[in-house]
């Protein structure tokens, strides 16, 4: 199923009901089973295409991409490492990126450099 066609069809709906999604899918694929419809709805929720608002009620989802910020300190470390060790594979990351996923917020943050042996 094409996401953009789905979005265009349901973009003016305040709330999308499961029956409306089922009718749309049956229109696109006649003879589709109800278990397949349920599975497709589940996948659309998991992919962020749909957001569940209640039992059998959905809104078009707004998938948010995870984009961590790059600090000055990370850029400086990157420049130093790339000059001294141009052929090494490494990863630089900051523990601050985990803050949005935590309930209890730490007071200290660390900048980590992971290097292959």
């Amino acid at each position: 199923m094409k996401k953009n066609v789905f979005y265009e069809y349901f973009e003016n709906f305040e709330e999308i009901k499961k029956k409306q999604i089922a009718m749309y899918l049956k229109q696109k694929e006649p003879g589709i089973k109800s278990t397949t419809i349920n599975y497709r709805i589940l996948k659309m929720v998991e992919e962020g295409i749909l957001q569940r608002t209640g039992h059998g009620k959905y809104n078009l989802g707004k998938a948010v991409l995870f984009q961590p910020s790059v600090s000055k300190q990370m850029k400086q470390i990157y420049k130093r490492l790339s000059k001294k060790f141009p052929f090494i594979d490494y990863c630089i990351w900051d523990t601050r990126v985990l803050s949005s996923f935590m309930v209890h917020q730490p007071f200290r943050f660390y900048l980590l450099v992971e290097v292959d042996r």
Side-chain angles (χ1 to χ4, degrees), residues 68-104:
S69 60
V70 179
S71 66
K72 276 186 173 182
Q73 194 176 17
M74 288 174 74
K75 288 179 184 179
Q76 289 172 351
I77 291 173
Y78 167 77
K79 287 177 184 177
R80 286 183 193 165
L81 284 174
S82 60
K83 282 182 182 176
K84 282 191 175 184
F85 308 103
F87 301 110
I88 194 169
D89 289 330
Y90 57 92
C91 175
I92 304 169
W93 66 284
D94 194 348
T95 56
R96 281 186 181 88
V97 298
L98 302 175
S99 293
S100 61
F101 302 109
M102 300 172 122
V103 174
H104 303 290

Side-chain angles (χ1 to χ4, degrees), residues 5-115:
V5 176
F6 186 82
Y7 273 112
E8 287 175 9
Y9 186 84
F10 288 108
E11 70 183 346
N12 296 324
F13 285 69
E14 287 283 324
E15 182 178 79
I16 307 166
K17 295 185 180 177
K18 184 178 176 181
K19 288 180 183 179
Q20 294 169 321
I21 298 170
M23 288 189 324
Y24 171 81
L25 292 174
K26 286 178 182 178
Q27 182 183 9
K28 295 292 179 186
E29 295 179 49
I32 190 170
K33 295 180 181 178
S34 62
T35 53
T36 307
I37 291 170
N38 291 335
Y39 179 75
R40 296 250 175 96
I41 291 172
L42 174 70
K43 284 296 175 188
M44 286 189 279
V45 169
E46 287 176 355
E47 291 174 7
I49 298 169
L50 289 175
Q51 260 182 336
R52 186 171 279 127
T53 58
H55 183 70
K57 299 175 184 175
Y58 303 91
N59 283 334
L60 285 179
K62 293 163 183 70
V64 178
L65 297 175
F66 175 68
Q67 294 181 337
S69 60
V70 179
S71 66
K72 276 186 173 182
Q73 194 176 17
M74 288 174 74
K75 288 179 184 179
Q76 289 172 351
I77 291 173
Y78 167 77
K79 287 177 184 177
R80 286 183 193 165
L81 284 174
S82 60
K83 282 182 182 176
K84 282 191 175 184
F85 308 103
F87 301 110
I88 194 169
D89 289 330
Y90 57 92
C91 175
I92 304 169
W93 66 284
D94 194 348
T95 56
R96 281 186 181 88
V97 298
L98 302 175
S99 293
S100 61
F101 302 109
M102 300 172 122
V103 174
H104 303 290
Q105 295 296 311
F107 290 107
R108 288 190 177 174
F109 298 102
Y110 298 98
L111 215 133
L112 303 169
V113 178
E114 296 179 39
V115 182

